[in-house]
Amino acid sequence: FKDAIDLLTPMLDDAVDFVRQGALMSMAMVLQQTAEARSPSVKKFRDLLKSIVADKHQPTLAKSGAIVAAGILDAGGGNVVVSLQSRAGFMKMGGAVGLMMFLQHWYWYPLQPFLSLAFSPTMLIGLNKDFDMPTNFEVTCNAPPGMFAYPLVEEKKEEGQKMVAT
């Protein structure tokens, strides 16, 4: 985890736009489902994505990489992760094909949605023998709640529009 972050961090400031675009998307895949409480690099990366998208002087490739990276980072509402393996340990062929098709997005942008084939849900669902939600279902977890917290959404403060005399 840390090795991948250390490898990708210098590439985020590379002079070649294709490298920056790929590094942004790769870092998002590495940091999927990582809470800010676990790694401070998540907050730094989210702030970097926001600054790249907001800066009108950034090249198009870097902006598109930041937008796709933000989507990967929060994919499925934060409840999915890129996975090429099934629970039993076998390679998911659909996921592998989807990821390979996504890697060709630079050639034809409609290939980007293929990434969703590589997503696997990561959630806990408790059902009884009749597939109904049980009324007394409990899970014990010793980790602090911050390790599973969703990122805070910043609310925009709307300023009243002022009339300008023309």
Side-chain angles (χ1 to χ4, degrees):
F1 176 77
K2 185 170 177 356
D3 293 339
I5 292 173
D6 292 341
L7 182 70
L8 290 170
T9 300
M11 293 184 210
L12 295 174
D13 298 323
D14 199 272
V16 179
D17 297 336
F18 281 108
V19 174
R20 288 180 60 207
Q21 181 187 38
L24 289 166
M25 291 185 287
S26 301
M27 183 71 89
M29 288 182 196
V30 170
L31 294 176
Q32 265 186 325
Q33 293 192 329
T34 304
E36 291 178 14
R38 183 175 177 210
S39 175
S41 57
V42 176
K43 174 118 176 78
K44 291 177 192 172
F45 184 63
R46 284 186 185 277
D47 292 341
L48 175 67
L49 293 178
K50 287 178 191 173
S51 68
I52 290 174
V53 171
D55 186 2
K56 65 181 181 178
H57 299 295
Q58 288 286 341
T60 305
L61 282 173
K63 274 192 169 192
S64 66
I67 291 167
V68 172
I72 292 170
L73 204 55
D74 295 325
N79 295 317
V80 297
V81 67
V82 173
S83 175
L84 300 179
Q85 248 184 353
S86 69
R87 288 185 189 172
F90 297 105
M91 184 169 77
K92 292 181 357 185
M93 193 56 67
V97 169
L99 193 58
M100 291 305 296
M101 294 299 286
F102 170 75
L103 291 175
Q104 302 301 316
H105 76 275
W106 55 269
Y107 182 70
W108 197 45
Y109 286 115
L111 294 175
Q112 286 182 338
F114 276 90
L115 179 63
S116 64
L117 293 174
F119 289 151
S120 294
T122 56
M123 60 189 148
L124 179 66
I125 300 174
L127 300 174
N128 63 14
K129 62 182 175 166
D130 298 322
F131 293 105
D132 294 326
M133 291 290 289
T135 55
N136 56 354
F137 182 73
E138 289 186 28
V139 176
T140 303
C141 179
N142 295 327
M147 295 299 266
F148 305 105
Y150 290 107
L152 297 175
V153 179
E154 295 178 16
E155 295 184 21
K156 292 183 179 179
K157 296 178 184 177
E158 294 185 25
E159 298 176 8
Q161 293 181 354
K162 298 179 182 177
M163 299 290 262
V164 177
T166 55

